[in-house]
Amino acid sequence: MGEAGVNWAGNYRFGAPELRVPESVEELQELVVVSPRVRALGTRHCFNDLADTAGTLVSLVDREPEPRLDTGRMTVSVAAGTRYGVLASWLADQGFALHNMGSLPHISVAGAVATGTHGSGNALGNLSTAVAGLQLVTGEGKLLEVDRSDPPFAGMVVSLGALGIVTRVTLDIQPTFDVRQDVYTDLPWDRVLAEFEQITAAAYSVSLFTDWRGDSLQSAWFKTRLAPGDSGSMPPTLFGAAASAEEVSLVEGESNTTVQGGIPGPWSERLPHFRLDSTPSNGDELQTEYFVDRRTAPEALSAVRELGESIAPHLLITELRTIAADELWLSTANGRPSLAIHFTWKKQPEAVARLAPQIQAALAPFEARPHWGKVNTMTVADVAPLYPRLPEFAALAERLDPQHRFRNAYLERVLGLSD
């Protein structure tokens, strides 16, 4: 038993009076049954109160990963608190791969899945779309196992912790593959706005970085999936941008990024932007992110550019990524191919609190959805019209958690689930 302390960024102090670390699933079940309010705390990468509770926080991140391969079904089952980088390294050693990775390999599997966290790629769904099964403890302390054959499964994957505490996650896998990462600099904005779909389709995974100033973006990262035995090639210029002869850093100080320069390597060491053995991202930052229909990308980006001079002084970097549409009820890419507009801010909470509503207003015509785990000021009045399956999700939450053990202030404010 101990205090929960602060989140990863240090901008939020948990209000829960205690933090428990159950040593077994059975102990977790007992703890849930005796706790009027309880929530799971992952790797603390949320920038808001999503994971908090007025009661007991439980952590599963120190449990052994215990990965279990099923090569017949092409899946892997792993303990919920396992970091993606740990699982990815193990899978690569076994000759298998996940379809994608987020920027940070430091985050837990269950936490990333529950919030719809994503990588990039026009044809690639977010990390949650790889989930083939879940094991979770419900509000009545029952251990429930579900998979895609269960009718409400599409509502259980991106759950924001409202349905139970996930103990294991089963993910789709595929044979391992290599990736090369090439970075280009000074990509012209006019090319981005005129050829957005072509640019983001130019590699398996593409990320664009900007500070919203000037006529060019700072860099474009192209992660190319390679056929076995092929090292691939990239041209010296692409869409008006020049291939960088030097490593490009995304943070201040010492570089902590994965290998660039077109050097082939395992998917697990190229798809993330940052190395598992390094500080995740800048380490001292705030984050916001909004998702719009990718088909409106030029218009949405132009709207944010109008705020560029206000945004830039408080920004470390913005990343633009794409995600394929899916059918998960609370996925930020539900029903539409999406563009994610991500802001990594300097740790200036007052400025971010002022700018977030301005960005949200600029993106409102595009029905922008906020990342569930990042700083924003949107409430259920803003969010509910963007998620047509929200009433069904509320009913599912009532069924799996009739005592409302997993409810908290966030779920009431953002989803309308009363505590």
Side-chain angles (χ1 to χ4, degrees):
M1 186 184 299
E3 294 185 358
V6 298
N7 67 341
W8 170 76
N11 72 302
Y12 182 81
R13 177 167 290 279
F14 293 97
E18 65 173 357
L19 173 66
R20 301 284 295 273
V21 184
E23 296 183 2
S24 66
V25 172
E26 293 74 20
E27 184 179 339
L28 172 62
Q29 291 176 269
E30 295 171 2
L31 197 155
V32 167
V33 170
V34 301
S35 300
R37 293 290 183 269
V38 60
R39 297 277 289 175
L41 180 62
T43 44
R44 301 171 183 260
H45 195 246
C46 281
F47 293 80
N48 55 35
D49 57 340
L50 170 59
D52 208 355
T53 178
T56 301
L57 279 173
V58 298
S59 175
L60 306 179
V61 296
D62 292 328
R63 298 195 66 193
E64 290 297 317
E66 297 182 340
R68 301 168 190 165
L69 274 176
D70 186 332
T71 56
R73 292 185 170 87
M74 287 299 285
T75 60
V76 62
S77 170
V78 68
T82 305
R83 297 175 189 271
Y84 259 99
V86 172
L87 173 61
S89 179
W90 184 86
L91 273 176
D93 287 345
Q94 308 301 312
F96 296 97
L98 301 171
H99 81 291
N100 208 355
M101 294 274 285
S103 295
L104 304 180
H106 310 72
I107 55 178
S108 68
V109 173
V113 163
T115 54
T117 296
H118 60 96
S120 191
N122 282 8
L124 304 177
N126 65 27
L127 303 184
S128 310
T129 61
V131 176
L134 295 168
Q135 180 189 81
L136 69 156
V137 176
T138 70
E140 296 178 303
K142 297 177 181 177
L143 188 63
L144 180 65
E145 297 202 19
V146 293
D147 59 33
R148 291 189 178 115
S149 67
D150 295 289
F153 187 74
M156 299 183 71
V157 181
V158 182
S159 68
L160 311 185
L163 308 181
I165 296 179
V166 175
T167 53
R168 290 191 71 83
V169 180
T170 302
L171 301 168
D172 295 331
I173 58 173
Q174 57 187 275
T176 192
F177 56 91
D178 281 351
V179 172
R180 58 175 290 160
Q181 180 168 232
D182 295 86
V183 178
Y184 289 73
T185 57
D186 299 320
L187 175 65
W189 262 114
D190 60 358
R191 298 290 295 271
V192 172
L193 298 178
E195 303 172 74
F196 184 81
E197 193 72 12
Q198 296 94 315
I199 291 171
T200 55
Y204 185 73
S205 172
V206 176
S207 291
L208 310 179
F209 294 92
T210 180
D211 65 2
W212 301 102
R213 283 177 165 156
D215 296 326
S216 298
L217 287 78
Q218 274 63 36
S219 62
W221 297 39
F222 296 88
K223 301 171 189 273
T224 304
R225 180 168 174 159
L226 302 173
D230 183 16
S231 60
S233 63
M234 293 287 279
T237 61
L238 193 61
F239 300 104
S244 178
E246 300 178 350
E247 183 178 282
V248 174
S249 178
L250 294 175
V251 301
E252 300 171 343
E254 184 178 352
S255 174
N256 56 3
T257 56
T258 49
V259 175
Q260 304 170 18
I263 301 171
W267 63 276
S268 55
E269 298 175 9
R270 297 295 185 275
L271 291 180
H273 296 331
F274 299 97
R275 303 191 314 272
L276 182 62
D277 64 353
S278 67
T279 302
S281 191
N282 198 66
D284 187 22
E285 66 196 52
L286 300 176
Q287 295 182 9
T288 61
E289 188 170 31
Y290 302 95
F291 299 77
V292 300
D293 191 315
R294 195 166 78 225
R295 292 162 291 198
T296 67
E299 296 83 2
L301 292 172
S302 296
V304 179
R305 286 188 76 198
E306 293 293 323
L307 300 172
E309 290 304 316
S310 298
I311 290 170
H314 310 288
L315 187 72
L316 289 170
I317 199 70
T318 276
E319 180 177 9
L320 308 175
R321 288 179 285 178
T322 59
I323 308 101
D326 63 60
E327 298 304 320
L328 303 177
W329 295 358
L330 295 190
S331 166
T332 49
N334 175 270
R336 64 191 195 189
S338 297
L339 161 64
I341 306 174
H342 183 277
F343 302 83
T344 301
W345 302 102
K346 297 174 183 176
K347 198 171 180 181
Q348 299 175 354
E350 295 83 6
V352 174
R354 182 180 71 253
L355 286 164
Q358 296 179 38
I359 296 169
Q360 289 161 194
L363 291 175
F366 308 100
E367 299 185 329
R369 296 166 173 165
H371 189 295
W372 300 114
K374 298 179 181 179
V375 177
N376 68 82
T377 60
M378 297 177 77
T379 66
V380 64
D382 308 300
V383 169
L386 306 175
Y387 290 92
R389 308 296 291 271
L390 184 55
E392 293 168 82
F393 181 82
L396 183 58
E398 193 68 32
R399 178 162 68 84
L400 294 181
D401 181 26
Q403 290 84 18
H404 297 178
R405 301 186 195 277
F406 306 121
R407 305 288 172 92
N408 67 358
Y410 176 101
L411 293 177
E412 181 170 8
R413 182 179 73 251
V414 179
L415 295 188
L417 302 182
S418 63
D419 192 19

